[in-house]
Amino acid sequence: MIRKALIVPALLAALSGCVSLGPKVPDTLLALTPTAAPAAGSGTSGTFANALVVMEPSAEARLAVTRVPVQIDDANVAYLKKTMWVERPSRLFQRLLAETIRARGSRLVIESDPGAAGLHLSGRLLDMGYDARTRSAVVRYDAVKEAGGRVETKRFESTVPVAEAEARYVGPALNEAANAVAKQVADWVS
């Protein structure tokens, strides 16, 4: 009886090494950290009519996943090994834009509230990955500013050289490039 009681847990322990209940966790998870953010305790107020609404940018399929794209040439894309974003890059970029604009403290900034009547900032995230041809991190964003029926568009881009195509180099370079683009956009909407 005791022997059977010991065999069952031993078999279960042996099988647990063969069964995977989820995807393998990558070695590195990347996030975007704003270099400009509001100070703790600061705040703004306003009305929906005067608020700036920062919408999540659209993105093509290669960027609509949590993997970090590597542009090999004009037609081929791979993904950085053992590295993923903590969530979709477009959502991370939306939050970075909102925080960077909020840091200016000049207006109420809302994320993803299409019912607000104020200025809307939307657009398309064209690139946020590593370019193997130029050995650089690239962030490219087509912004759309809309208020009161008037629409204006502008393309923003930043590239940062990367020593090697490894997460420890690509992650900080992508963060730097994304912050540079966010600052450019914040200057444009102010």
Side-chain angles (χ1 to χ4, degrees):
M1 183 74 160
I2 294 176
R3 187 174 172 159
K4 283 185 182 180
L6 293 175
I7 290 175
V8 172
L11 287 174
L12 289 175
L15 283 175
S16 69
C18 300
V19 177
S20 175
L21 299 177
K24 184 179 178 216
V25 178
D27 293 347
T28 304
L29 291 172
L30 300 179
L32 296 177
T33 306
T35 55
S42 66
T44 56
S45 62
T47 64
F48 279 124
N50 297 329
L52 168 62
V53 180
V54 179
M55 304 297 291
E56 181 177 344
S58 64
E60 61 184 55
R62 72 183 178 91
L63 293 173
V65 296
T66 56
R67 298 179 71 193
V68 180
V70 176
Q71 193 70 43
I72 309 261
D73 57 34
D74 290 344
N76 293 294
V77 175
Y79 289 95
L80 199 60
K81 292 179 182 179
K82 301 178 183 179
T83 307
M84 293 178 77
W85 292 106
V86 295
E87 66 179 314
R88 288 186 325 271
S90 57
R91 181 70 177 123
L92 290 169
F93 190 68
Q94 175 196 18
R95 288 187 183 135
L96 180 69
L97 281 172
E99 280 298 290
T100 303
I101 296 167
R102 271 188 202 108
R104 307 231 167 164
S106 59
R107 71 182 326 153
L108 178 63
V109 179
I110 301 169
E111 296 174 46
S112 294
D113 186 0
L119 176 66
H120 282 73
L121 176 65
S122 61
R124 199 172 103 192
L125 189 60
L126 300 170
D127 205 352
M128 193 154 87
Y130 177 74
D131 189 327
R133 301 166 293 189
T134 61
R135 296 180 57 144
S136 59
V138 178
V139 175
R140 188 175 302 115
Y141 173 62
D142 273 351
V144 178
K145 181 169 56 170
E146 181 183 359
R150 180 172 160 76
V151 177
E152 190 177 343
T153 64
K154 189 170 183 178
R155 178 167 288 180
F156 299 92
E157 181 175 339
S158 179
T159 59
V160 175
V162 177
E164 292 181 47
E166 293 182 19
R168 64 182 171 167
Y169 301 114
V170 173
L174 282 169
N175 193 63
E176 182 181 337
N179 271 283
V181 169
K183 183 185 178 312
Q184 295 168 22
V185 174
D187 291 342
W188 182 59
V189 297
S190 295

